[in-house]
Amino acid sequence: MKRLLFALLLLACFLLPVSAEPIKWVDFDVPYESLKYAMDVDIQSYDREKHISWIDILAVAACRTGGKCGLESVKKAAADLKGDKSPQELTGKYFDYYHEAYSAVLGGFLGSYAIEKDGAWVPTYGLKVFSPIAAGYYYTHYDDFGASRSYGFKRKHLGNDMMGSQGTPIVAVEGGTVEALGWNRYGGWRVGIRSHDKKRYYYYAHLKKDQPFAPGLEVGMQVNAGDLIGFMGRTGYSDTENTNNIDVNHLHFGMQLIFDESQKECNSEIWIDVYQINRLLSLHRSSIQKTETGWQRLYPYRDLDVSPLPEPSEASPEPGSGY
């Protein structure tokens, strides 16, 4: 009897699915031109017989180039995907890795959303995330990911610094949940927002002294892409709260990928270079205005992939970039 039980337990072990290890590192090295081309193919094919996903395009190109994804390789991947072969047939065993990795980076970027104009909701399919800098505000940036930092300890810069004027409105790139809000000795006043699918954690740091956050913003709150979350400043590099110890007004914007909750806060966090992503996001900026009653969005926004319109609309989503 004991031998029979042992045999059954052994058989059960073989039959149980083996859990795959979460991805431990992503080197996202896709230039703006490739992101833009793949995105345009996805949007243009949205309402056609075969909708070609930009993540599939980039993953196929990455398999063929070791993740470099030059524009010509992306064009070739897009053309091949218009045929009858599946992405796996076009590439091989590495497609699943790149598809999972790039889905974590870009998974919430394209989709259906609606903008309210003149009292009516206008549904659209396209880029539904926004630049962290509100529309109408000047900024400069360059690819500074990995640059040396020395305050506290020697380390690499894990974001993209966007230089602008003090008080520039900062908006949520993507909708999600506010997970962090307050002071950090390195980032000063900062906000951390987790995407709805929990794959991306956005970090906005060095916010304005005395007025860092949007009124009413709290930990646990749900925000929409493009909502006001704070104001640019130069706080940080101090154990004393509300201290300006940074020389230049700027936003530190970072994106952390999370494939498993154990990766959220650890010694092997996955932060990616968002410079090329920021270039893409500059195509879509949220219009924020200050009124007598406070700050508000010029065009109310609804993510239709998260929250459908309250009433059925006869209008069907059309390709576009929104507002």
Side-chain angles (χ1 to χ4, degrees), residues 286-297:
S286 180
S287 297
I288 304 291
Q289 62 181 359
K290 190 173 184 180
T291 67
E292 294 180 356
T293 58
W295 293 87
Q296 66 180 25
R297 295 183 72 149

Side-chain angles (χ1 to χ4, degrees), residues 35-48 50-57 106-115 121-129 284 301-305 309 315-323:
L35 287 169
K36 176 68 164 55
Y37 185 87
M39 180 186 75
D40 288 344
V41 171
D42 186 310
I43 293 172
Q44 292 163 9
S45 67
Y46 171 73
D47 56 355
R48 297 180 183 176
K50 185 173 184 180
H51 179 204
I52 302 173
S53 162
W54 73 323
I55 294 176
D56 283 354
I57 294 171
L106 304 169
F109 280 36
L110 290 186
S112 297
Y113 66 96
I115 298 293
W121 287 101
V122 182
T124 301
Y125 178 87
L127 187 63
K128 64 177 185 177
V129 290
H284 200 202
Y301 170 97
R302 183 183 292 266
D303 185 341
L304 300 182
D305 295 322
L309 291 174
S316 58
E318 297 180 356
S321 60
Y323 299 87

Side-chain angles (χ1 to χ4, degrees), residues 82-225:
K82 293 177 182 178
D84 296 329
K85 290 185 177 180
S86 68
Q88 290 84 352
E89 290 174 316
L90 292 171
T91 54
K93 62 181 180 179
Y94 295 113
F95 175 80
D96 289 343
Y97 162 77
Y98 280 113
H99 189 272
E100 183 179 357
Y102 288 5
S103 292
V105 178
L106 304 169
F109 280 36
L110 290 186
S112 297
Y113 66 96
I115 298 293
E116 187 179 18
K117 297 182 66 178
D118 301 324
W121 287 101
V122 182
T124 301
Y125 178 87
L127 187 63
K128 64 177 185 177
V129 290
F130 293 84
S131 166
I133 308 296
Y137 290 85
Y138 177 79
Y139 71 91
T140 61
H141 68 137
Y142 61 95
D143 195 351
D144 54 348
F145 187 83
S148 177
R149 294 291 186 269
S150 59
Y151 177 80
F153 63 98
K154 189 174 181 179
R155 65 196 188 280
K156 292 182 178 181
H157 186 234
L158 299 177
N160 184 210
D161 285 344
M162 308 177 76
M163 280 66 73
S165 300
Q166 182 174 243
T168 292
I170 304 302
V171 307
V173 167
E174 183 178 355
T177 305
V178 178
E179 288 193 346
L181 186 73
W183 185 261
N184 177 284
R185 66 180 303 215
Y186 305 105
W189 293 122
R190 76 0 177 159
V191 178
I193 297 176
R194 189 82 169 268
S195 63
H196 291 299
D197 64 5
K198 298 188 177 299
K199 295 293 186 182
R200 292 166 296 287
Y201 176 77
Y202 295 95
Y203 183 70
Y204 309 81
H206 307 314
L207 301 180
K208 184 181 177 183
K209 181 180 179 181
D210 299 328
Q211 189 188 13
F213 310 123
L217 194 70
E218 297 179 355
V219 171
M221 179 180 290
Q222 296 290 314
V223 296
N224 278 318

